[in-house]
Amino acid sequence: MNTDRTRPSGRRDQGGPRSVPPQRSRRLQPHRPQRPHQWFAERLLAVLSGQRPVHWMLGHTIGEAYDQLAELAPSTPLGSTRGSRPVLRHCRGAQPATGVVEAFASIAEGDRVRAMAFRLEQGPDQRWRCAAVELGGERLDAGAPGPR
């Protein structure tokens, strides 16, 4: 009869349970907040693809940027034409001056990749606001349809 109650019957090795390194999980890693340009890229993509209404950006834009978005949003320049939703692939930003971030993002639409560039400016209240947006190298002018 086996008197060792921690070992299953029939087990002959002398070692106990082996330590297994814990698997990395996103839940265990500390949450790192998104940078302003990453947050804005997601929001701009949602508006320009028709997933969110343009007024979702109200208060997050300055100058003509909101007017441009308001005229462009109905045409959904980043809207899916092949049945797949556009996805933000990469987003990088540079800070050419204090309180300014110029960012670019690549957006995948099925097998097609589009580029988006935008400028953020930090106001006296320390909030970031979008001041300009461009898609695929062409400026998003109010009244002019975006490239398809």
Side-chain angles (χ1 to χ4, degrees), residues 45-60:
L45 174 60
V47 169
L48 295 174
S49 65
Q51 298 171 36
R52 292 287 187 164
V54 72
H55 68 265
W56 198 46
M57 291 295 291
L58 192 62
H60 298 290

Side-chain angles (χ1 to χ4, degrees), residues 15 22 24 29 33 45 47 50-51 67-68 71-72 77 83 90 95 101 113 135 138 143 146:
R24 297 191 92 156
Q29 295 174 355
L45 174 60
V47 169
Q51 298 171 36
D67 295 334
Q68 290 173 347
E71 290 195 30
L72 287 167
H90 301 286
Q95 194 167 6
V101 172
V113 177
L135 280 180
E138 296 183 29

Side-chain angles (χ1 to χ4, degrees), residues 2-132:
N2 186 358
T3 58
D4 185 3
R5 299 199 184 265
T6 61
R7 186 179 306 143
S9 63
R11 186 172 170 179
R12 291 184 169 51
D13 64 334
Q14 297 300 317
R18 294 188 174 99
S19 66
V20 177
Q23 294 204 357
R24 297 191 92 156
S25 170
R26 288 184 180 227
R27 288 185 205 157
L28 297 177
Q29 295 174 355
H31 176 69
R32 191 174 81 186
Q34 284 186 324
R35 294 183 176 174
H37 59 276
Q38 294 166 327
W39 185 83
F40 269 92
E42 291 284 352
R43 289 182 84 85
L44 289 169
L45 174 60
V47 169
L48 295 174
S49 65
Q51 298 171 36
R52 292 287 187 164
V54 72
H55 68 265
W56 198 46
M57 291 295 291
L58 192 62
H60 298 290
T61 56
I62 56 175
E64 294 180 20
Y66 183 79
D67 295 334
Q68 290 173 347
L69 289 173
E71 290 195 30
L72 287 167
S75 68
T76 60
L78 293 177
S80 168
T81 58
R82 296 177 181 90
S84 60
R85 271 172 66 167
V87 177
L88 183 66
R89 289 179 50 190
H90 301 286
C91 183
R92 302 278 190 265
Q95 194 167 6
T98 304
V100 175
V101 172
E102 292 181 348
F104 65 93
S106 63
I107 298 161
E109 301 176 72
D111 59 349
R112 186 176 177 191
V113 177
R114 302 277 307 267
M116 176 173 66
F118 54 97
R119 179 182 174 97
L120 303 177
E121 295 179 4
Q122 193 173 31
D125 60 356
Q126 302 303 304
R127 292 182 57 203
W128 291 96
R129 291 177 178 86
C130 184

